[in-house]
Amino acid sequence: MFDQRMLLMHGFSLGELRRELIERLGLRQTRELFTRLGYQQGWEDYQSCRNEFGGDEQAVETMLLLGPRMRDIEGFVRTQPLRVEIDLEANRFHLEFTWTDSWEAAAHINHRGVGPIPACWMNTGYASGYLTALFGQPFLVRELECLATGHHRCRILGKPLSEWEDIGEDAAFFQSDKLVSLPSLRSTQSASNTGPTPATAPEEHGLVGASAGFNAVVYLLKRVADTDATVLFLGESGVGKEQFARALHRIGPRADHPFVAVNCAGIPQELVEAELFGVEKGAFTGATASRPGRFERADGGTLFLDEIGSLPFAAQGKLLRALQEREIERVGGTTVQPVDVRIVAATNEDLRQAAIDGHFRTDLFHRLNVFPIEIPPLRERREDIPLLFHVFVERFSLRYKKSVQGVTRAALDALWNYDWPGNVRELENMVERSVILSDAGQPIDRHHLFSGGERLSNEPLSVSPMGHLIGKQAHAASRPEVQNLADTLLEQAGSMQAIETVLLNRALERNDGNVSAAARELGLGRGQMQYRLDKRRR
């Protein structure tokens, strides 16, 4: 389906797996596992539907129906709308559905009978993931009635996460572990006039994510947290290596001791050793007093060495000795001091290749590469974009005391299409810019986000800092022959509707009636093309 492999398996086999997991892990952990699995399925199904049918505002109603239809085709549950209210401009939603023939409810009753806990965990996770992707903000779907609790049907309610007063355990798919921060439950529409406080401001160093890539990193953090092993974070610039390093420190046995971060690229080469190991008074011109280095300040805690690949070659040898001997000597000093620190390093370079090329000490590389953790770039974990976007909007709404009401479909579509070369840091900066540029009480639009010269590789247009359209089609549209063609169309066709009809019909003729091929030629998804054709027939 959608050029992706689909696996058919017997429902009773999956039911037996579910039963065994409950017996081995318990109800709570199994529920969290199945909910996250469903969330991933819902997200992927939405992406497939969006690629096929488009993601513009006109397609929202179609996309809302496709998710339940796909779940029915896949054999999980049949869905009927009960009450569906969507106001995109006001950012208000009330999505209430009934479920019948639920595989999960039947499997649960078969193994455990009727009880107090709703059982459609994978289905609620699926609906939450699908709606989160569709509307570009964290959505929570809660099962209000379930066959497994003695009701005659299953009934669900879906709303933005910020509109639920108490999510309890229902948002397990957002939080694979306690070290992962849940997106805030407060609505971004009510920014405080008094500014953020420690009790209300979103956590600056919290981890937020629900993607498979994100959860894989969290799993590795948990495995290594209780040890003193050296950890090397790998990944592109802006993926959040320092945030993960801080999280590692918080959940480890050194949490009550200092976390000291140093950017190796930001220290002048002649001062690197003094910064790391400290300096004695009179060691060099300007050293008017003795002062401890980063190793001493981090004693008992964690020393985070960011951009370790930029460390001068001479300093690499002294760092290696400090790691091996667990002792340092200040610049200009004569005594050796023992230090007890955990080393966590990070780089966006290929240190192995740098060692082969002779730019980085091979022995230091192997000393640092004890437990490498690679953080995937944001473009490979797009499931995290709505969650991060929500957190950043709330953070900057509080900081700048401005209410922001949701995000437009155009902006959401642009967020999906962007390649994110600057990763999470770039998203954070763009959200800050958009909160500043947007009007109070209005949604964030595309031009608020993409006003810094960013180019959307899968979109025909982008916006320059001066507000000009840029991109391949913008350049093509400015050519004289294209302008002359536009004049002819306006003179002879006379209206936008007539021009669109001409283009649609001609594209179909050029492609022998093949709707998909015609859609590709016009730069549309097949669903968008079909929507326009159906509109002409009505």
Side-chain angles (χ1 to χ4, degrees):
M1 185 183 294
F2 298 119
D3 296 325
Q4 294 189 33
R5 175 178 292 181
M6 303 293 290
L7 301 179
L8 291 175
M9 65 182 303
H10 294 292
F12 75 85
S13 298
L14 190 56
E16 283 298 311
L17 173 63
R18 189 179 191 273
R19 177 190 61 78
E20 187 168 341
L21 286 173
I22 291 174
E23 291 178 355
R24 290 175 178 268
L25 302 178
L27 271 172
R28 179 171 180 172
Q29 284 190 306
T30 305
R31 179 184 183 184
E32 292 178 0
L33 179 65
F34 271 73
T35 305
R36 281 197 295 275
L37 178 59
Y39 183 90
Q40 293 293 329
Q41 292 173 344
W43 178 275
E44 291 298 331
D45 276 0
Y46 170 78
Q47 292 300 318
S48 298
C49 290
R50 179 181 174 276
N51 292 338
E52 184 69 18
F53 299 101
D56 57 22
E57 191 166 330
Q58 294 174 328
V60 169
E61 185 176 343
T62 300
M63 299 293 285
L64 189 60
L65 296 175
L66 278 174
R69 179 58 182 152
M70 290 186 66
R71 209 56 175 166
D72 185 6
I73 293 173
E74 293 165 353
F76 282 89
V77 71
R78 293 177 181 172
T79 305
Q80 291 293 329
L82 194 61
R83 177 186 167 194
V84 178
E85 298 175 3
I86 301 174
D87 188 339
L88 294 175
E89 291 186 1
N91 197 41
R92 286 198 295 268
F93 308 88
H94 183 102
L95 305 172
E96 194 170 352
F97 297 86
T98 60
W99 282 339
T100 57
D101 199 19
S102 167
W103 159 81
E104 278 190 286
H108 192 88
I109 293 172
N110 184 44
H111 292 131
R112 302 185 65 85
V114 174
I117 301 175
C120 300
W121 309 328
M122 193 181 294
N123 287 333
T124 53
Y126 179 95
S128 297
Y130 192 92
L131 293 175
T132 295
L134 174 60
F135 294 115
Q137 59 180 301
F139 255 75
L140 172 63
V141 173
R142 176 173 280 168
E143 194 172 12
L144 305 180
E145 298 175 3
C146 184
L147 291 172
T149 57
H151 294 89
H152 69 283
R153 63 179 181 181
C154 299
R155 180 169 65 92
I156 61 168
L157 175 62
K159 296 189 296 184
L161 189 66
S162 58
E163 294 185 14
W164 290 100
E165 293 183 2
D166 178 21
I167 61 173
E169 299 177 359
D170 291 318
F173 49 88
F174 288 127
Q175 193 176 26
S176 59
D177 191 79
K178 291 181 180 179
L179 69 95
V180 180
S181 300
L182 279 171
S184 174
L185 305 184
R186 296 172 303 282
S187 172
T188 59
Q189 300 176 29
S190 56
S192 170
N193 291 326
T194 59
T197 66
T200 61
E203 189 177 354
E204 293 286 338
H205 301 296
L207 298 181
V208 176
S211 66
F214 173 86
N215 287 331
V217 174
V218 170
Y219 170 78
L220 292 175
L221 284 185
K222 290 167 56 183
R223 296 293 291 185
V224 76
D226 288 334
T227 74
D228 263 343
T230 300
V231 176
L232 177 62
F233 285 105
L234 308 170
E236 297 178 6
S237 177
V239 294
K241 294 185 284 291
E242 182 171 345
Q243 281 68 35
F244 281 100
R246 289 183 181 276
L248 176 64
H249 175 74
R250 286 200 305 271
I251 63 174
R254 297 174 179 265
D256 294 333
H257 297 279
F259 176 91
V260 177
V262 54
N263 186 336
C264 298
I267 305 174
Q269 184 169 342
E270 63 274 11
L271 297 179
V272 169
E273 293 181 31
E275 281 294 320
L276 291 179
F277 308 119
V279 61
E280 293 289 0
K281 180 179 179 180
F284 51 79
T285 303
T288 57
S290 298
R291 60 181 177 86
R294 304 300 178 97
F295 268 87
E296 289 181 70
R297 284 183 246 171
D299 194 35
T302 301
L303 178 61
F304 176 60
L305 301 173
D306 197 9
E307 298 192 55
I308 187 71
S310 63
L311 199 66
F313 204 84
Q316 292 177 23
K318 294 193 175 183
L319 174 61
L320 176 63
R321 184 181 184 282
L323 298 182
Q324 290 176 336
E325 305 299 330
R326 304 182 73 86
E327 60 185 25
I328 61 166
E329 183 178 329
R330 288 183 179 181
V331 176
T334 58
T335 59
V336 173
Q337 297 178 241
V339 288
D340 175 24
V341 297
R342 179 181 194 168
I343 297 296
V344 177
T347 182
N348 57 11
E349 301 178 27
D350 185 346
L351 289 188
R352 187 182 298 276
Q353 187 60 47
I356 293 173
D357 295 339
H359 303 311
F360 197 84
R361 289 185 62 122
T362 303
D363 46 6
L364 179 57
F365 165 71
H366 290 301
R367 184 64 183 81
L368 294 172
N369 198 43
V370 176
F371 199 89
I373 299 178
E374 184 161 4
I375 304 172
L378 188 58
R379 63 182 172 275
E380 294 179 8
R381 50 186 180 105
R382 294 180 185 269
E383 301 97 311
D384 297 335
I385 292 176
L387 311 185
L388 291 165
F389 183 87
H390 178 82
V391 167
F392 293 150
V393 167
E394 182 175 72
R395 178 181 301 169
F396 294 117
S397 295
L398 288 168
R399 180 177 299 177
Y400 298 121
K401 302 176 184 178
K402 179 188 287 188
S403 63
V404 175
Q405 189 162 292
V407 57
T408 66
R409 293 300 306 178
L412 181 59
D413 203 44
L415 290 172
W416 295 150
N417 286 325
Y418 192 50
D419 283 336
W420 300 108
N423 292 292
V424 178
R425 184 186 298 121
E426 184 178 21
L427 174 61
E428 181 178 10
N429 293 340
M430 288 172 65
V431 171
E432 181 175 12
R433 175 201 306 159
S434 67
V435 170
I436 294 171
L437 290 175
S438 62
D439 294 325
Q442 297 298 313
I444 290 173
D445 207 344
R446 172 173 162 161
H447 64 276
H448 299 139
L449 289 163
F450 295 89
S451 59
E454 297 86 359
R455 290 181 179 270
L456 295 166
S457 59
N458 296 325
E459 285 287 306
L461 299 177
S462 186
V463 184
S464 73
M466 299 302 294
H468 301 302
L469 293 175
I470 56 177
K472 292 185 292 184
Q473 291 193 14
H475 175 71
S478 65
R479 289 160 47 192
E481 57 268 32
V482 177
Q483 296 290 331
N484 293 335
L485 178 60
D487 290 338
T488 302
L489 283 171
L490 288 171
E491 291 168 2
Q492 298 187 12
S495 70
M496 185 65 189
Q497 183 175 350
I499 292 172
E500 182 175 309
T501 300
V502 170
L503 289 173
L504 293 174
N505 291 339
R506 187 58 185 151
L508 285 170
E509 290 173 6
R510 285 162 58 96
N511 292 279
D512 299 322
N514 187 314
V515 176
S516 296
R520 284 193 295 271
E521 187 170 19
L522 292 172
L524 299 173
R526 191 189 187 286
Q528 294 172 302
M529 181 74 172
Q530 192 64 56
Y531 173 84
R532 285 165 170 77
L533 293 174
D534 292 342
K535 188 170 66 173
R536 295 288 173 272
R537 298 189 184 106
R538 289 199 290 266

